Amino acid sequence: MDTFALIVTIGVALGFTYTNGFHDSANAIATSVSTRALTPRAALAMAAVMNLAGAFMGSGVAKTVSEGIIATPEGGKGMGILFAALVGAIIWNLVTWYFGLPSSSSHALFGGMVGAALAGGTAVYWSGVLDKIVIPMLTSPVIGLIVGYLVMCAILWLFRRSNPHKAKRGFRIAQTVSAAGMALGHGLQDAQKTMGIVVMALVISGHETYSDPIPVWVKLVCALMLSLGTYAGGWRIMRTLGRKIIELDPPQGFAAETTGASIMFGSAFLFHAPISTTHVITSAIMGVGATKRVKAVRWGVAKNIVLGWFITMPAAALVAAGSFWIVNLAFG
């Protein structure tokens, strides 16, 4: 196996993690920034640290990504498939970031893997795609919407006799904790996805087997790149999540973040399912906003976001397939 190809593939994987960080930083902190619970830079610094910590909290999602979606390709062609999958995911992340669309970096990666695998003649585990990607993709936003709505209803009932100004001050402080939980969940979920890709590259090159534990250096570099990307910030998407769907107040921001963090921890530890943090927090914001009044949610913006979710996987798959064709033409 060409060591150069391995190094390049791992480098591109870390580049994807960086784009994942700045693309998804909005997920963790947009609500806290929009309600002025935290200043933007303080929120980004907190999110970067919590992402780093979250990356060391588990490995179930990484195992699903490395073994449960496509068959491990072999040799130089296999490394080309991984490379093309990552290029497809990075390009789609940059396109959606440019348009301020909170699409899923995770589904861009999975779409890239499937597209490159099909183009390279590698088996796709369709049952794994269905169980671990498609079903969570369809159910997690619905769960986020319903749980967000219920959590906000509970907050409204519990604090129905409280002074509104004092309650908002309290929730503004509480949001620092819920935003930290959201960032921790993001690190737990998204850093592991790149770990799974790097492990697959090491298995293809013969340096690791799937029975080996994930090397500490892999965890560390993936966590660091996710944190650096998070600190770089994705202001375009932050504006969409924090202001365009609904104008959030501190109790609503707390409810949305608490809902999102709870779902991410539950899915990672109970089901080892690589769910989209973007889908969860966006749907939670919609559910929380619907308690105000249904028309308070800007459903036109929400519709565009949801349409983006549905085209992310096929779009990233097409770009990845095209990338594999170019790689194969140049080096095959």
Side-chain angles (χ1 to χ4, degrees), residues 129-167:
V129 172
L130 180 67
D131 293 344
K132 299 295 185 183
I133 300 174
V134 176
I135 291 176
M137 180 178 80
L138 297 175
T139 56
S140 62
V142 177
I143 294 171
L145 190 78
I146 294 172
V147 175
Y149 181 85
L150 294 176
V151 169
M152 192 61 216
C153 285
I155 287 173
L156 289 171
W157 187 79
L158 287 170
F159 292 87
R160 65 190 183 283
R161 295 193 181 89
S162 301
N163 180 304
H165 297 293
K166 285 185 179 176

Side-chain angles (χ1 to χ4, degrees), residues 160-203:
R160 65 190 183 283
R161 295 193 181 89
S162 301
N163 180 304
H165 297 293
K166 285 185 179 176
K168 282 185 181 178
R169 264 204 307 274
F171 276 108
R172 196 167 276 132
I173 296 169
Q175 264 197 280
T176 57
V177 178
S178 59
M182 189 71 203
L184 197 66
H186 183 240
L188 172 68
Q189 277 277 346
D190 283 26
Q192 284 194 55
K193 289 161 190 164
T194 307
M195 286 179 207
I197 294 293
V198 175
V199 166
M200 187 183 278
L202 292 171
V203 170

Side-chain angles (χ1 to χ4, degrees), residues 84 87 124:
V87 169
V124 175

Side-chain angles (χ1 to χ4, degrees), residues 10 36 42 71 76 146 149 154 161 163 181 206-207 217 240 281 284 302 309 330:
I10 291 177
R36 296 180 182 151
I146 294 172
Y149 181 85
R161 295 193 181 89
N163 180 304
H207 290 86
W217 70 265
T240 301
I281 188 64
W309 294 352

Side-chain angles (χ1 to χ4, degrees), residues 144 147-148 178 181-182 185-186 254-267 275 277 280-282 284:
V147 175
S178 59
M182 189 71 203
H186 183 240
F254 174 81
E257 288 170 345
T258 304
T259 299
S262 303
I263 294 173
M264 283 191 294
F265 279 108
S267 60
I275 65 166
T277 56
V280 170
I281 188 64
T282 308

